[in-house]
Amino acid sequence: MKVLKFGGTSVGSASHINNVISILEEKSKKDKVICVVSAIGGVTDQLQQSGLLAQQGDPAYLEVARAIEEKHLQLLTELINENAAEIKAALKEQFQHLKNLLNGIYLIRELSPKTTDKLLSFGEQLSSFIATETLNARDSNAVLKNAQELIVTDDSFTKAQVLLRQTHSNIAAYFKNAPQQITILPGFIARSFNGEATTLGRGGSDYTAALIAAALNAKELEIWTDVSGMFTANPKLVKQAYPIKNINYQEAMELSHFGAKVLYPASIQPVLELKIPILIKNTLRPDESGTRISTPDVKEDRNATGISNIDHITLLTLQGSGMVGIPGFSKKLFGRLAQDRINIILITQASSEHSICIAIDQKDVQKAENGINETFAYEIERNQLDSVLIEENLAIIALVGSRMKHLQGMSGKMFGALGKNNINIRAIAQGASEMNISAVIDQKDVKKALNTLHERFFEGDHKQVNLFIAGVGNVGEKLLVQIKQQRKYLKEHLKLNLRVIGVSNSKKMYFKSDGMDLKTWKEELKNGEIARLDGFRKKAIDLNLRNSVFVDVTASAAVSKEYIYYLKESIAVVACNKIACSAALEDYQQLKSYALKYNAPFLFETNVGAGLPIIDTLQNLMASGDKIVSIQAVLSGSLNFIFNNFTDQTKFHDVVQQAQEQGYTEPDPRIDLSGVDVARKILILARESGLAMNLEDVKNKTFLTDNNNASDTVADFYSTLIEDEPHFQSLYASAKAKNEQLKYVATLTENGASVGLQEIPIGHPFYNLKGSDNIVMFFTARYPEQPLLVKGAGAGADVTASGLFADIIRIGNN
Ligand code: ADP
Ligand code: ASP
Ligand code: MG
């Protein structure tokens, strides 16, 4: 004897019903088969809706009823094309009953729980009838048995309690002599001891099937649905979720109680006692193994089993001095809620007993608030208690697993991961069984929280990083090329899944919430929305993805002003833009403190020396307790290029132009030649060394002439370079006479920071610096005589992009 249950999603269309028929035909070759069916997908909701409309006096209820009728007749036509007239007539008769009932509700404007059950029971009656007729039209000899004749309940309409003894004996008696190979039964519906139609609660067809399996001591109970088993999290919300192969009853019960809708929680109880395994299978993919729920001794090597969520929760908090140490207080509270038939989903109480907090379904809030305030009116009036505090739009997420109690640090890991992603936790509960750790969070954070926890506990330490890149010019584009090339490597070797979610240039922006195709992003960006900095930020915040990073590849002051807003949302910031770190000291300090406060890294390695690990090295020295004594550095790739190429055989103007053409200078070369760019860099190194300094504090002895400095435009500036060629030649000649090299040097000592052109003698580490290379010498307490030296290409789009990339990876590995 096999008991199978097919959910509404499995009987939603003719092709799905055909799958069901094939599965039944196959199974019934070997065994007698009992098949419980739900209403056609969506029909229970439609019935409910038509009833509510009729009750409100809205004639639209008839349209909904007509839609239900059409859906069923259409199915019948598709499934049974011949000799269907009689079957159609029988169906039509049922629809007439349905319409009569709805008309009655419309006339008296009343929809009681009792009438609701009568109304909803049409769904399963209709689906089971169609399934039986379809099988019989194919010579399968199926018998339709009305479950209302077997399952007896009390009269708690809409969620009736089953009278087990009588139900068991009815089921056993009926099937004892039932000769047919296939029996079809409607799920969800039953009858009270008074003979009224009742239902077992939404999703209750699973329970019908479990009752039958238990009464007949079946070998197995199969629940067929639209997903391939019970997943590590709801697969509709967590893309990476996967089916749990084996799970014990307690874990499955805990997951389904906490929102894993795939199995109705009450269904486990009847089969648990008899140790009948439950198999959850996918009607559309019958070959996939699905999930097997069985006895607790399944040994699986996993720390947690699944995560689930209950949406639309309200928290009620009752607090006040009147509660402390007074016995019977909770009894009074829970007694009242029980009396009002309000289900409590979660309870927390601090040991101070100053407050008690409970989570309930949002729909019960009004009733609960009134009831509690009434019950404690006396205490509230005497200020021993505050009126009950209500917080809405919340949800519960729960981490479930039976091995969790043997493991330390599970809740630390759970809350650490949530905190890092700026998910605020309003209440926490952990049962003494330690099978479940639950947290109440904002409804809007549910998807992010599920994905964050899934990544933390179920993806073998794989981590997704979501990038929002502003500025996709020269360097930004190179960064995207590098990400595209390295994605596979990062996944395999560093377990990092880098996704680019948003890109923007100064004109357009484009987003793809599950990661863009790095081959076609340029085209998509062209057709994107008009770019706005606040719009870009809003999108990044609204998408609310875990491990989000904002990457600034611009040189814009306006973009640098955005960082603070990203950090506040715990979105990390990576910048090659130097403006923020060289702006006013308070601004820089604020960014640094926000990064700490909101647990969001702020990285800017490329501010100094492009991809060279200069800031990282400095931060590591500081973090390990070293002290910076002085820094000497050549930090301008462009000035280095210029003075390496400038001789008495060239013209200063031409060399500067060449540097600009090769992309070594800023778009305005005056920023490089005036020393401002280098001054910003040494300022950043000074600040990272722990000094509170501003740009004005950096001594800048210019090598330009007053004439150069007075130029208004870049073109003007170039003309003054021609006019003042003799000045530059004299700088060159002075150095050459001593056999020395001109280098633009930045220095930080105990006397402060300075930048300027220097003549460097042979033998000095700066003397042989080639091309656009940078060099930094750190003299520290641990490296007092022989400095720690970092040297290499310090300018260019490729190395800058790779520096940004390294910062992004640092965040990923964090
Ligand atoms: P049926 O109509 O077959 O009873 P349900 O809609 O009641 O189907 O249950 C199946 C749905 O449960 C899935 O489509 C999925 O969206 C949802 N679900 C929620 N949590 C889980 C989970 N952990 N594993 C599988 N499905 C889940
Ligand atoms: N048809 C009912 C519902 O939608 C019962 C079920 O599907 O299990 O809730
Ligand atoms: Mg269901």
Side-chain angles (χ1 to χ4, degrees), residues 144-395:
L144 174 63
K145 175 68 186 166
N146 187 354
Q148 292 174 314
E149 290 161 15
L150 303 178
I151 301 180
V152 189
T153 68
D154 68 4
D155 56 4
S156 330
F157 295 103
T158 73
K159 199 169 182 181
Q161 297 300 312
V162 174
L163 307 182
L164 287 173
R165 200 173 302 156
Q166 200 175 337
T167 299
H168 271 205
S169 73
N170 288 352
I171 295 170
Y174 173 75
F175 283 102
K176 194 165 169 216
N177 300 315
Q180 69 271 17
Q181 201 65 6
I182 303 180
T183 310
I184 308 282
L185 288 122
F188 178 55
I189 64 177
R191 202 172 273 162
S192 74
F193 45 69
N194 291 328
E196 305 278 3
T198 55
T199 63
L200 305 180
R202 293 301 305 270
S205 295
D206 298 343
Y207 188 31
T208 307
L211 288 167
I212 292 171
L216 301 176
N217 203 357
K219 255 207 320 267
E220 212 165 56
L221 165 62
E222 297 182 11
I223 305 279
W224 290 77
T225 181
D226 65 340
V227 287
S228 297
M230 193 165 229
F231 278 59
T232 45
N234 185 347
K236 305 236 164 88
L237 297 175
V238 179
K239 238 178 159 180
Q240 329 283 347
Y242 50 86
I244 305 164
K245 265 199 155 45
N246 287 294
I247 181 170
N248 67 44
Y249 292 112
Q250 280 75 16
E251 290 173 314
M253 187 130 58
E254 204 80 16
L255 275 174
S256 63
H257 261 300
F258 273 87
K261 183 186 170 211
V262 66
L263 187 66
Y264 186 67
S267 322
I268 295 171
Q269 202 56 45
V271 292
L272 166 68
E273 279 157 27
L274 299 167
K275 296 200 168 57
I276 299 171
I278 305 175
L279 207 61
I280 300 184
K281 299 270 291 176
N282 188 340
T283 309
L284 304 180
R285 298 194 181 146
D287 295 334
E288 294 189 357
S289 53
T291 294
R292 190 178 163 82
I293 305 173
S294 54
T295 41
D297 50 57
V298 182
K299 294 257 183 307
E300 289 270 319
D301 182 22
R302 63 186 173 214
N303 295 344
T305 306
I307 319 159
S308 54
N309 59 297
I310 309 181
D311 293 342
H312 310 304
I313 290 296
T314 296
L315 266 191
L316 304 181
T317 307
L318 198 57
Q319 57 189 354
S321 53
M323 290 171 58
V324 183
I326 297 178
F329 185 89
S330 313
K331 183 178 169 208
K332 204 163 151 188
L333 172 65
F334 297 135
R336 178 61 198 237
L337 292 168
Q339 181 191 325
D340 292 342
R341 304 191 58 142
I342 293 168
N343 183 32
I344 301 169
I345 305 172
L346 172 150
I347 306 169
T348 64
Q349 181 179 28
S351 55
S352 75
E353 295 182 47
H354 189 261
S355 72
I356 187 161
C357 182
I358 54 172
I360 61 171
D361 192 317
Q362 207 148 292
K363 73 174 176 6
D364 293 328
V365 67
Q366 200 54 56
K367 207 161 48 163
E369 183 181 15
N370 296 343
I372 296 173
N373 284 340
E374 189 186 296
T375 303
F376 293 102
Y378 177 75
E379 289 87 344
I380 293 171
E381 201 175 305
R382 306 180 87 205
N383 287 331
Q384 289 171 339
L385 276 185
D386 301 336
S387 302
V388 60
L389 179 79
I390 305 222
E391 291 168 278
E392 292 185 281
N393 296 323
L394 302 174

Side-chain angles (χ1 to χ4, degrees), residues 674-721:
S674 66
V676 167
D677 186 61
V678 177
R680 282 180 180 159
K681 289 173 180 166
I682 194 74
L683 171 67
I684 294 169
L685 294 185
R687 286 176 170 177
E688 289 301 311
S689 312
L691 299 172
M693 232 189 237
N694 271 310
L695 197 58
E696 305 81 76
D697 304 327
V698 180
K699 282 184 222 97
N700 184 347
K701 206 168 124 261
T702 181
F703 66 86
L704 294 175
T705 64
D706 292 345
N707 188 27
N708 300 146
N709 286 328
S711 61
D712 289 331
T713 63
V714 174
D716 267 0
F717 178 66
Y718 270 110
S719 330
T720 64
L721 292 184

